[in-house]
Amino acid sequence: MSVKNDQPDMNRRKFVGTTVAAAGAVVVAPGVLLHTVAGADPESRGASAKHRWGMLIDANKCAEGCSACVDACNSEHGLTGHDRPATDAQWIRAVKLKDNSTGHINRLVMMCQHCEHPPCVDVCPTGASFKRTDGIVLVDRHICIGCRYCMMACPYKARSFVHEDLENQSVNAPRGKGCVEGCTMCVHRIDRGETVTACQEACHDTGHGAIVFGDLKDPDSEISQALKSQNSRQIRADLKLNTGVRYSNL
Amino acid sequence: MSKMYYRELYCGTPVRYWAGMALLGTIVAIALGAAFYMEHNGHWVTGMTNQVVWGLPHVFAIFLIVAASGALNVASIGSVFGGPMYKPLGRFSSLLAIGLLAGGLVVLLLDLGRPDRLIIAMTHYNFKSIFAWNIILYSGFFAIVGLYLWAMMDRKANRYYRPIGFAAFFWRLALTTGTGSIFGFLVAREAYDAAIMAPMFIIMSFSYGLAFFIITLIAAYMWGDRELGDLRLARLKNLLGVFVGAVLYFALVFNLTNLYVTQHHGVESFILLNGGVYTAMFWIGQVLIGGVIPLFLIYSPAFDKARWAIAAASMMVLIGGFFQIYVIVIGGQAFPMSVFPGKEVLESSFYDGTVGAYAPSLPEMLLGIGGIAIAMTMVAVGARMFKVFPESLEDPGESA
């Protein structure tokens, strides 16, 4: 039997209020906790605009028949192919060139040029293609929808689309079927505080030393010194993208 | 002029209608199967590669999307430009536009590497990307044309007819500008990177959209056993002739401009002279089948009121238009990108400096055809549910 009373039921209000507060706390607390944990890890502090990572590749030192950097990149990032060169991913490739007017022959390696003004980032509809504050251009595999517009826009053919199932992925570079990917400048190493990329290391170990990697914003770094002392150029400099990868003796 | 009565379209007998729907349903089901096959295995089972990244599905999708905005023109002529002969056709024009756009977008979506991430495309926007604008333009098109259709069909909403008509007209211009700009803003590839792409796509949409409209109109009135007057068809036919000529003119200007620029001689000779299949598609497909022959069929006095000639001309405009998009999308990618100007590529593991090989695969083709079937299904269902088609389109003065 119900009691007729025109006073509001205060107990019920209190109950509703407490329930809402408790539910709110349960929803928010894990996020706060995870944020604290994430912030405590020095490796996750993120990129800093105090650096701009770049490379200088000496075309004269890039040796005929050598594939050390390509192999190193493949094993570092778990890029296993299916023997289908048209669809297999290639983050770095060797190219042999002949000058049309002089006949001079050059060899060099091509990869993502990590532009200051990357066309891939401009065209990406979801913002999956992005540039870190330290100049490294990456693809966020969580929001890449696989539209491949970035591949249409890149003047360097630097990106690959993952055309088939992936196995035995490397922890260094999680990949995703149906997403686009490319050179990360070994961002996993940089975020650990290392300043040597897999390709540079391999090139150095073979004794060729054609690749110099480093901080373009640090005037004392090896790469800054090298760029200051010798002539270098950007590929497709006419597009004014201000690439992070430079070439000498080209 | 007699009063117009609109009535739902019953295609003669129920069997005729449902058999048609069953056929369309089967084609759509096959297309969905093909899309599942490509997504499940990954894109390596298609003709697409890391060199030619957009294949046949993109050709179908862009073709349908461009045609969709053009199909709305008949309604726009009726409301924005006040053409009394076109006004009764406005409802069908809007329905066809919605159907074609939906068909094109389904194909585009199912060709993504991650179609399951549609929700991401709808919630994460990079406003510098033309693709992101297009997502908004396409969604807005459905909404505005839907309202437009409502304003045409509901007497109470009739006072909104003109403002919505204007809005729809400007929105469709923006939409095709966006579609053309997908290519116009690509600095990397020599075949694109031209501001003329946007207006060229608009004039292409006028032509393909009207061709689609004429064919489906003739077909609907044939199946529905309704009267379709010669005068109205002649108007549409003459308009199509103007649009076909304009498309040819834009193709001429686009190529002449490129020919003037020494840097673009390579890509021009690829498309116009030595590009093999792309050269053939340009001259035989785009120019001859899509331009010269339809113009002859449209303007020759020998075929004055011949309905087959109008239908044939429209069909050829569509086939030629398909080739035109194919040459733009695939031909433009097949032509090697100039990564190292002034240098010849002697060796590369990534096909630098060589013409990109692309052969469309069967699943891509099936998915693309499915897009057309989806468009036609939506039109067939819409025309049956709503009062879209006038009961009779006999020429004014015949009854009155």
Side-chain angles (χ1 to χ4, degrees), chain B residues 65-349:
Chain B
I65 291 167
V66 166
S69 55
L72 191 67
N73 265 4
V74 175
S76 297
I77 297 171
S79 54
V80 176
F81 301 104
M85 288 289 274
Y86 292 94
K87 207 174 164 186
L89 303 172
R91 297 182 184 186
F92 175 54
S93 164
S94 307
L95 176 66
L96 182 63
I98 290 178
L100 289 172
L101 184 66
L105 288 182
V106 167
V107 177
L108 198 64
L109 171 73
L110 291 178
D111 184 54
L112 289 178
R114 297 293 306 258
D116 52 314
R117 289 182 174 172
L118 176 64
I119 188 68
I120 291 176
M122 309 288 283
T123 51
H124 289 66
Y125 287 107
N126 164 26
F127 286 105
K128 207 177 173 187
S129 165
I130 293 150
F131 257 17
W133 304 351
N134 281 347
I135 293 167
I136 294 165
L137 287 168
Y138 296 154
S139 321
F141 188 82
F142 284 124
I144 290 181
V145 179
L147 284 174
Y148 193 19
L149 203 51
W150 170 63
M152 281 188 268
M153 294 204 292
D154 188 348
R155 209 176 287 261
K156 277 177 283 181
N158 201 258
R159 59 197 153 128
Y160 305 119
Y161 169 63
R162 271 181 76 80
I164 296 178
F166 269 94
F169 179 64
F170 287 112
W171 197 273
R172 72 142 315 265
L173 289 181
L175 185 143
T176 327
T177 302
T179 312
S181 300
I182 291 174
F183 299 96
F185 286 13
L186 284 178
V187 290
R189 294 179 192 259
E190 280 177 56
Y192 310 134
D193 185 26
I196 196 177
M197 281 285 182
M200 189 165 83
F201 268 63
I202 289 178
I203 204 69
M204 281 153 62
S205 83
F206 284 9
S207 176
Y208 310 166
L210 188 56
F212 249 118
F213 183 85
I214 292 175
I215 290 177
T216 43
L217 185 73
I218 293 177
Y221 275 70
M222 226 163 66
W223 283 324
D225 297 322
R226 295 189 190 180
E227 185 72 31
L228 177 60
D230 281 333
L231 197 60
R232 222 178 291 265
L233 264 186
R235 284 279 181 95
L236 292 172
K237 176 186 96 157
N238 289 337
L239 191 62
L240 182 65
V242 174
F243 291 160
V244 171
V247 169
L248 280 177
Y249 165 76
F250 266 83
L252 181 75
V253 172
F254 175 68
N255 287 293
L256 277 181
T257 314
N258 267 348
L259 280 170
Y260 201 83
V261 182
T262 312
Q263 190 193 345
H264 290 153
H265 285 181
V267 69
E268 279 302 309
S269 70
F270 179 72
I271 299 293
L272 302 180
L273 292 175
N274 51 28
V277 63
Y278 304 107
T279 304
M281 281 182 186
F282 177 81
W283 289 110
I284 300 172
Q286 179 182 336
V287 176
L288 190 67
I289 297 177
V292 176
I293 300 178
L295 281 180
F296 176 71
L297 287 173
I298 289 168
Y299 288 121
S300 167
F303 311 115
D304 187 23
K305 282 177 181 166
R307 210 155 275 202
W308 70 265
I310 300 174
S314 305
M315 191 52 93
M316 291 175 99
V317 167
L318 291 182
I319 295 170
F322 186 83
F323 281 123
Q324 182 169 14
I325 305 256
Y326 194 100
V327 171
I328 292 175
V329 176
I330 316 267
Q333 292 176 83
F335 182 72
M337 218 188 309
S338 170
V339 184
F340 311 100
K343 308 258 185 194
E344 180 195 343
V345 180
L346 298 178
E347 278 171 28
S348 165
S349 56

Side-chain angles (χ1 to χ4, degrees), chain A residues 15-35:
Chain A
F15 173 75
V16 170
T18 319
T19 313
V20 168
V26 167
V27 168
V28 174
V32 174
L33 186 71
L34 283 174
H35 259 283

Side-chain angles (χ1 to χ4, degrees), chain A residues 93 96 98 123 144 149 177, chain B residues 40 117 129 344 346 352:
Chain A
R93 64 187 190 269
K96 195 164 149 184
K98 184 175 143 189
V123 301
C144 172
Y149 198 16
K177 175 183 166 195
Chain B
H40 182 73
R117 289 182 174 172
S129 165
E344 180 195 343
L346 298 178
D352 289 290

